[in-house]
Amino acid sequence: NAGVTQTPKFQVLKTGQSMTLQCAQDMNHNSMYWYRQDPGMGLRLIYYSASEGTTDKGEVPNGYNVSRLNKREFSLRLESAAPSQTSVYFCASGAGTGVGETQYFGPGTRLLVL
Amino acid sequence: GENVEQHPSTLSVQEGDSAVIKCTYSDSASNYFPWYKQELGKGPQLIIDIRSNVGEKKDQRIAVTLNKTAKHFSLHITETQPEDSAVYFCAASMGSARQLTFGSGTQLTVLP
């Protein structure tokens, strides 16, 4: 099992460019999440998907869109990148059993917006 | 919404000593409290968790305690080893919500 995989590992964008971050999991989990991690701060939830076909906003959704393509894949799109979106992005998945769901994280995508 | 505060932000201990990291949360409805370890360049990994119906949980050298009245929980690492050096995050979630609110992290350094 590869667990949670993310592509790309690193990306440099210019302000205004768009890109899609890809995430896939092979653990047959129902829930998937996108977080961002900034220096000196914990992880903040951008969007999540409790099950295939559903998505919901997290704490910091502005400037992002997501797609739950199927049970395995959950993508994050930046339509017009801004320097404030420079961050490390983590995808996670969980079994979706409710309270106490363990979340498994991918290795992260480091994004630099110039 | 939930707010989680974590202290200290950095912690250095000698190998073999104990390390304690503390977190407080704001929402009394929170009932699930995981701890994650993040090594450099990697994603966070769950190391231990506790639910609100339990006051303490141990797993070898790692233990977590929960005080629901005071709304705080702590991570205890005994007999620290160099490989324990990492950033540790606490988190909280409430009810059936799957959303986790994370603390700001503690950089633990174990000195040989």
Side-chain angles (χ1 to χ4, degrees):
Chain A
N1 283 354
V4 179
T5 57
Q6 293 182 235
T7 57
K9 292 183 179 179
F10 182 70
Q11 183 73 45
V12 180
L13 291 179
K14 294 181 179 179
T15 296
Q17 288 185 317
S18 62
M19 78 163 294
T20 300
L21 284 67
Q22 305 286 354
C23 173
Q25 53 92 8
D26 62 2
M27 296 175 281
N28 199 36
H29 286 166
N30 290 319
S31 304
M32 297 187 73
Y33 307 81
W34 277 106
Y35 292 89
R36 60 177 289 172
Q37 183 177 37
D38 301 297
M41 303 181 72
L43 290 86
R44 292 182 293 169
L45 183 65
I46 305 171
Y47 270 94
Y48 69 101
S49 170
S51 61
E52 185 178 353
T54 67
T55 60
D56 287 285
K57 295 179 180 180
E59 180 184 354
V60 289
N62 291 347
Y64 305 95
N65 285 300
V66 291
S67 295
R68 183 73 182 268
L69 305 172
N70 47 56
K71 192 171 186 178
R72 291 186 64 250
E73 298 172 290
F74 189 37
S75 63
L76 178 71
R77 182 160 178 85
L78 287 70
E79 290 291 352
S80 179
S84 60
Q85 294 178 305
T86 292
S87 189
V88 182
Y89 292 86
F90 288 99
C91 177
S93 71
T97 56
V99 176
E101 172 191 78
T102 298
Q103 294 187 17
Y104 298 85
F105 286 81
T109 293
R110 283 152 182 79
L111 176 65
L112 174 62
V113 182
L114 302 174
Chain B
E2 175 66 278
N3 182 50
V4 177
E5 295 191 357
Q6 182 172 347
H7 301 280
S9 57
T10 61
L11 178 61
S12 293
V13 299
Q14 291 293 138
E15 183 177 356
D17 287 350
S18 296
V20 180
I21 303 170
K22 299 181 179 181
C23 289
T24 60
Y25 61 97
S26 61
D27 197 323
S28 57
S30 290
N31 55 10
Y32 175 63
F33 308 93
W35 284 89
Y36 283 82
K37 176 183 180 181
Q38 185 177 26
E39 297 176 340
L40 193 62
K42 297 184 178 180
Q45 183 177 21
L46 180 74
I47 55 171
I48 196 167
D49 58 13
I50 193 168
R51 290 163 175 75
S52 61
N53 58 345
V54 177
E56 182 176 1
K57 184 177 179 180
K58 292 184 72 174
D59 183 5
Q60 300 183 353
R61 296 185 298 108
I62 294 174
V64 57
T65 59
L66 172 64
N67 183 327
K68 286 221 73 180
T69 301
K71 291 191 284 188
H72 67 69
F73 56 112
S74 301
L75 177 70
H76 304 254
I77 305 174
T78 59
E79 300 174 16
T80 53
Q81 302 168 3
E83 52 264 38
D84 294 329
S85 295
V87 179
Y88 291 81
F89 291 97
C90 62
S93 72
M94 60 181 181
S96 60
R98 297 183 177 87
Q99 298 182 57
L100 289 173
T101 300
F102 283 83
S104 55
T106 296
Q107 173 69 63
L108 173 65
T109 303
V110 180
L111 305 170

